[in-house]
Amino acid sequence: MERTYIMTKPDAYDRGLIGQIITRIENKGFKIVDMKMMNLDEDILKEHYAHLADKPFFPEIVEYMMSAPVIGMVVEGSGVVDSMRKIMGPTDGLEANPGTIRGDFANNKSQNLIHGSDSIENAEIEIKRFFG
Ligand code: UDP
Ligand code: MG
């Protein structure tokens, strides 16, 4: 069965939105098959966001992602990788349509509440990264 790695970000924790995010995943009929709260360190974030390492905002992302706990989840279902990206909405909350998580709750492109794997291949890499 297809799986993806979903992670609520520190702003979801600070704003008390974790429950609403999980509810949207469950309402869609996807199964949360593993879940844990973590305080991430710099090493794992540098690995996870390696594709952004040369961007000027990279240090800010790392600081933000270490500012409060995250909830990592393995979510399972047919077509779950692409479907979760649709449920999340695009990176920038201002571009994201209402009805998406980012469209409903985020208004910028850095503090955007949720991470979701962007391909089946990356999902398996990320699940291994955060769940071993
Ligand atoms: N990000 C940012 N500014 C940008 C692009 C990305 O702060 O211009 C942050 C944001 O938190 C984003 C994360 O870096 O979610 C990872 O970027 P990516 O392009 O992978 O976006 P995503 O897959 O999360 O939509
Ligand atoms: Mg990404």
Side-chain angles (χ1 to χ4, degrees), residues 9 11 48-49 51-52 55 57-58 60-61 64-65 85 88-92 102 108-118 126:
K9 296 184 177 184
D11 49 334
H48 185 63
Y49 286 129
H51 61 296
L52 301 171
K55 301 278 196 244
F57 53 82
F58 185 68
E60 281 166 48
I61 302 178
Y64 155 54
M65 291 299 295
R85 295 286 296 190
M88 290 162 51
T91 312
D92 187 347
R102 287 164 167 174
N108 62 80
K109 64 178 166 188
S110 52
Q111 307 217 346
N112 55 9
L113 298 160
I114 183 166
H115 166 83
S117 308
D118 60 11
E126 292 174 358

Side-chain angles (χ1 to χ4, degrees), residues 58-125:
F58 185 68
E60 281 166 48
I61 302 178
V62 173
E63 279 305 306
Y64 155 54
M65 291 299 295
M66 295 195 305
S67 68
V70 302
I71 311 282
M73 284 171 258
V74 180
V75 181
E76 198 175 86
S78 182
V80 70
V81 170
D82 284 348
S83 182
M84 277 306 306
R85 295 286 296 190
K86 288 183 190 144
I87 288 167
M88 290 162 51
T91 312
D92 187 347
L94 289 177
E95 301 289 325
N97 284 329
T100 65
I101 292 169
R102 287 164 167 174
D104 285 347
F105 300 121
N107 63 24
N108 62 80
K109 64 178 166 188
S110 52
Q111 307 217 346
N112 55 9
L113 298 160
I114 183 166
H115 166 83
S117 308
D118 60 11
S119 68
I120 291 176
E121 189 188 19
N122 281 337
E124 290 303 321
I125 292 168

